[in-house]
Amino acid sequence: MTESAGEHAGARPAAATPPKLAARQRVVLVGNPNVGKSTLFNALTGQRARVGNYPGVTVELREGQARLGPELEVEVVDVPGSYSLSARSAEEQIALDCVLGLASQPAPELVVLVVDAGQLIRNLYLALQLVELRVPLVIALNMIDEVTDAPPSPSAISQLLGVPCVSTNARKREGLVPLREAMASALGVTPSGALALRYPKALIEDADRVAEGLPDSWRRNVERDRALGLWALGSLEPDDELEHIPQGLRDRCLRAHEQAGDRDLDREIIATRYAFLDAHAAELYEGAQPAGEKRASSERVDRVLLHPVFGFVIFLAVMLVLFQTLFSWADPLISLVEATFGGLSRMVEGALPDGLLRDFLVEGLIGGVGNVVVFLPQILLLFLFIGLLEDTGYMARVAYLMDRIMRSLGLHGRAFVPMLSGFACAVPAILATRTMERWRDRLLTMLVIPLMTCSARLPVYTLIIAALFPPATVLGVLPVQGLLMVAMYLFSVLVALVSAAVIGRTVVKGRQVPLILELPPYRLPNPLAVLRMMWERSWLFLREAGTVILAATVVLWVLLSFPKLPESGPASAPTATAEHAEEDGAARRARQLEHSYAGRVGHAIEPALEPLGFDWKIGVGIIGAFAAREVFISTMGLVYGIGEVDDDDPQSLRDKIRSEKRDDGTPAYTPLAGLSLMIFFALACQCMSTLAVVKRETRGYRWPAFLFAYMTGIAYLASLLVFQLGRAMGF
Amino acid sequence: MMLADIAVGDTVTVEHVGGPRAFRRRLMELGLLPGTRVRLVGVAPLGDPLELLVRGASLSIRRAEAESIRIVQVAQGTMPDSSPAASPARAS
């Protein structure tokens, strides 16, 4: 009877449910990267996970509930993977905060350390730190299936460290029952922590002196304070990026290092721990010799995948498939989304009478939701790819292969995949910067991705090139139009790389950190984990960036539609001859657009745009293009009173641009003005969705504002330079 | 002799880990300590970074940092990992 009480609690009236929610105990999951920590998290928490944010830094903590017994449900927090608790960056500090309950984090009732059975000694280094800190601990000896030849013994580990240890295979959901039992009985149980670590006497004295500088809220007892003293000695530096560290503690560490003379305190701490583990390694394996099969087979694969020639060929092939997927194969799905929302719009248009409500529903609301959902195909496909690359271990190889090139630009090797994705669309590409751990690497990559020639710029380039440049050839063979298109691509890459180098040395300086990259053994991807990541990423995008995009669409709709023209405009009465009713409608819409806020802004900024070779109509087009760059075309169609223009084949608009005359009879648009416009579109941050995603990823308006300012700034200057120089040279 | 100077396939013993503090600390925490045996598994196609085998794991560091890790040569050429597990050689 009691057993089922918890199960049925949800079905009862709310008043009858015991108020257990507030008092749910907290379990923190830690471990090195690539040990199957997230898989174990998924296995423990089932479908009920949410992605939260660690306050202050843009690191996500995944949280979920796990049922450990009929009456026992705990909160599980998945901390980013880390090799050690020592830290120098704010990101690395999170593991320590969560484990010890420092900063804003509540102290956990239990820490579960996930260990790769094939990398036992190195993984147990972290275990030693946790035991020293007297944290309630359970060790999950994971990936036990990969070491069948010489499995380490959980009971030997448990005996050596004085904490429970259970072998698991999270991927196959094996060992979960004993793990849950071990967790349930270890909740809140402090390990004895009596490890036979032989720290040099002088080091212990140093640690105790440092511990005197600990804030009162951190202190518990002599042993734990000493362990924290060792942590501080091994972590704090004059220029680390850690937060909430009292100055007194920092000073004491600094003094200890200065007075150490020839002694190397870091080495003393780390070497003592490894000496302990090495001395007991044989008993942990109960005499068996690990042969490292997994490693050997990975090395064979690497001989091909990291080969100087084949390695690069395969790398290029993989990246080509990724690019092709985003660029072309996502297209049918995108068209489907567009068709669905188009159909929905027509349905509403048919069902409602002409008027404000209908316009709002069709152009603001349905258009806005469509603007959000249209990104999903590319986001899902990109994260499918990233999930596969990460899970197999190939992503680390991408960083290894590209490090030489990316480093010279100040970028991380892992920035390659997001940058490449930027050619399809900046929105999923910016979401993909999550594969980098350091905030600085992520931010820098985010700030240059929007410069890559995304697919939304193509229709604009195509229109301008087709309208203003002759289908001639250079040197008899090279088509001018094709060359221009290629030049625009190269231009965007060049500007992105130069910007990365400049911004990386100025705005987001941060120190270059020496690379230490682990190349994990190759593994088969875990389809469920990949699907789950695709789902989580997409949902986060819909919830957080999607709402901003929707709101911006509505604002844009207001700008382009209000104020309304008076019912009978002054120009319509006398000149209306025998024109078709439809043309009249289009002309009226053009006048309406000119009358709107956007039209007025277009007129107002015309003096600023004239030196670039643009008129107010292009100004309106640029405003409209904030929804998405290709919307420039349909907005221009409206401005010119042509009515609806097909993005993909805007024949009528092309002719109009070609034949448009100024008041003095000269052509309104010259090839030079066209070039200037293309350069403006290449560089300007004409995309509210990009800004919305950057806002979500950086948690504030500061970086999207910077992104918009710097891109639009260089766009203006570059277009100005091109147009004025070109004119001076007589074009 | 420095780690950056050895040939692919060579096995060496680490004598001293130099370089910026954060780097050497992290490397030591990953088990690359004085006395540890390291094999140079390969070099990235563009000449940098290096791939090392340390305690059964593949670690990659750049040549510039490998310049600050002092080593003594144990065995040249491709040697299997099952070479005699001698205690750290201190001879120069």
Side-chain angles (χ1 to χ4, degrees), chain A residues 318-556:
Chain A
V318 171
M319 292 303 134
L320 192 70
V321 173
L322 167 65
F323 183 69
Q324 192 65 21
T325 306
L326 294 182
F327 202 80
S328 308
W329 297 340
D331 238 24
L333 289 172
I334 294 173
S335 304
L336 187 71
V337 171
E338 284 172 347
T340 309
F341 281 90
L344 202 62
S345 293
R346 276 190 296 280
M347 248 170 60
V348 173
E349 269 176 343
L352 287 178
D354 207 1
L356 200 57
L357 178 68
R358 194 181 84 171
D359 282 358
F360 170 74
L361 285 180
V362 171
E363 285 168 43
L365 206 60
I366 297 176
V369 175
N371 276 348
V372 174
V373 177
V374 78
F375 287 110
L376 278 188
Q378 283 182 332
I379 291 176
L380 287 167
L381 284 169
L382 179 57
F383 277 99
L384 171 66
F385 246 89
I386 287 179
L388 293 179
L389 293 179
E390 291 276 11
D391 252 25
T392 51
Y394 192 68
M395 190 65 112
R397 270 81 181 176
V398 171
Y400 176 74
L401 290 169
M402 296 311 292
D403 177 71
R404 183 82 191 261
I405 297 172
M406 302 302 277
R407 169 198 359 160
S408 59
L409 305 163
L411 290 164
H412 192 280
R414 282 181 179 243
F416 187 82
V417 167
M419 298 270 284
L420 181 72
S421 314
F423 279 117
C425 176
V427 169
I430 287 169
L431 296 178
T433 58
R434 290 276 161 150
T435 55
M436 286 173 277
E437 285 154 38
R438 282 183 72 221
W439 162 240
R440 184 215 165 243
D441 294 332
R442 282 219 303 267
L443 180 61
L444 180 58
T445 311
M446 269 185 245
L447 290 177
V448 295
I449 280 174
L451 286 167
M452 310 304 263
T453 301
C454 67
S455 52
R457 285 171 171 109
L458 288 184
V460 180
Y461 293 167
T462 314
L463 168 73
I464 297 170
I465 290 176
L468 297 175
F469 292 90
T473 55
V474 186
L475 303 173
V477 279
L478 300 168
V480 169
Q481 297 184 331
L483 274 182
L484 260 172
M485 196 60 109
V486 173
M488 290 313 293
Y489 268 94
L490 292 179
F491 177 68
S492 83
V493 174
L494 192 72
V495 176
L497 299 186
V498 171
S499 301
V502 172
I503 296 174
R505 280 176 181 79
T506 52
V507 186
V508 282
K509 235 182 295 184
R511 294 194 314 178
Q512 280 275 12
V513 174
L515 172 89
I516 301 180
L517 182 72
E518 186 183 3
L519 303 179
Y522 289 105
R523 295 190 170 103
L524 282 176
N526 178 352
L528 277 179
V530 173
L531 283 175
R532 190 161 170 154
M533 186 175 77
M534 290 164 67
W535 159 249
E536 281 178 5
R537 289 284 148 240
S538 305
W539 173 241
L540 271 179
F541 167 78
L542 288 180
R543 199 183 65 194
E544 300 193 17
T547 42
V548 179
I549 295 173
L550 176 60
T553 308
V554 173
V555 170
L556 215 49

Side-chain angles (χ1 to χ4, degrees), chain B residues 10-83:
Chain B
D10 286 2
T11 303
V12 299
T13 302
V14 176
E15 230 181 25
H16 177 259
V17 183
R21 189 178 161 210
F23 167 79
R24 48 194 298 276
R25 186 174 65 207
R26 179 48 42 89
L27 214 50
M28 289 195 287
E29 284 179 330
L30 285 168
L32 194 148
L33 288 148
T36 307
R37 217 162 246 216
V38 173
R39 181 159 64 95
L40 180 62
V41 178
V43 177
L46 296 174
D48 205 16
L50 315 175
E51 185 192 352
L52 307 170
L53 180 65
V54 182
R55 292 171 181 269
S58 270
L59 291 184
S60 176
I61 64 171
R62 290 178 189 144
R63 207 172 269 282
E65 275 83 43
E67 294 281 0
S68 56
I69 298 173
R70 198 167 69 235
I71 48 99
V72 283
Q73 193 98 22
V74 172
Q76 287 190 337
T78 15
M79 280 284 285
D81 287 339
S82 52
S83 57

Side-chain angles (χ1 to χ4, degrees), chain A residues 21-43:
Chain A
L21 281 169
R24 202 177 270 143
Q25 302 188 76
R26 187 173 160 99
V27 175
V28 170
L29 218 55
V30 296
N32 291 7
N34 307 308
V35 296
K37 198 160 61 68
S38 297
T39 310
L40 187 64
F41 174 85
N42 292 346

Side-chain angles (χ1 to χ4, degrees), chain A residues 117-198:
Chain A
Q119 281 289 327
L120 186 66
I121 299 300
R122 192 191 74 197
N123 279 247
L124 288 184
Y125 179 87
L126 187 51
L128 288 187
Q129 287 185 306
L130 293 165
V131 173
E132 282 179 12
L133 287 164
R134 305 296 193 275
V135 177
L137 184 67
V138 168
I139 296 176
L141 187 60
N142 199 26
M143 298 185 163
I144 197 75
D145 54 313
E146 291 184 3
V147 286
T148 45
D149 55 331
S153 150
S155 60
I157 296 170
S158 174
Q159 191 139 29
L160 180 67
L161 301 178
V163 294
C165 176
V166 180
S167 44
T168 57
N169 177 0
R171 197 177 272 229
K172 294 230 172 82
R173 307 179 65 88
E174 286 166 10
L176 292 181
V177 174
L179 177 65
R180 285 201 188 93
E181 284 168 8
M183 286 167 67
S185 50
L187 277 169
V189 179
T190 308
S192 68
L195 295 175
L197 284 166
R198 297 217 185 86

Side-chain angles (χ1 to χ4, degrees), chain A residues 189-315:
Chain A
V189 179
T190 308
S192 68
L195 295 175
L197 284 166
R198 297 217 185 86
Y199 289 116
K201 216 178 162 84
L203 180 68
I204 293 181
E205 286 165 10
D206 286 333
D208 286 343
R209 263 196 298 277
V210 167
E212 284 165 29
L214 292 172
D216 285 340
S217 59
W218 293 22
R219 306 181 70 138
R220 293 291 135 76
N221 52 52
V222 183
E223 287 85 15
R224 204 186 91 130
D225 291 356
R226 180 177 294 159
L228 271 176
L230 283 176
W231 173 84
L233 271 179
S235 296
L236 300 186
E237 289 181 68
D239 59 345
D240 63 55
E241 296 156 9
L242 304 182
E243 287 157 16
H244 328 291
I245 304 290
Q247 193 57 41
L249 184 61
R250 219 177 261 282
D251 292 342
R252 278 168 193 271
C253 286
L254 208 61
R255 215 174 310 137
H257 278 283
E258 274 167 9
Q259 292 169 354
D262 280 349
R263 290 168 53 219
D264 176 347
L265 302 185
D266 291 333
R267 180 181 157 185
E268 281 181 2
I269 299 171
I270 299 166
T272 305
R273 290 177 185 150
Y274 267 104
F276 174 82
L277 293 172
D278 285 340
H280 292 91
E283 64 194 68
L284 296 183
Y285 283 98
E286 291 179 329
Q289 272 289 340
E293 284 167 39
K294 187 81 195 166
R295 179 49 251 162
S297 63
S298 273
E299 211 170 299
R300 276 195 296 279
V301 177
D302 270 341
R303 241 170 257 159
V304 180
L305 293 189
L306 300 181
H307 186 273
V309 181
F310 306 124
F312 256 103
V313 172
I314 294 168
F315 170 74

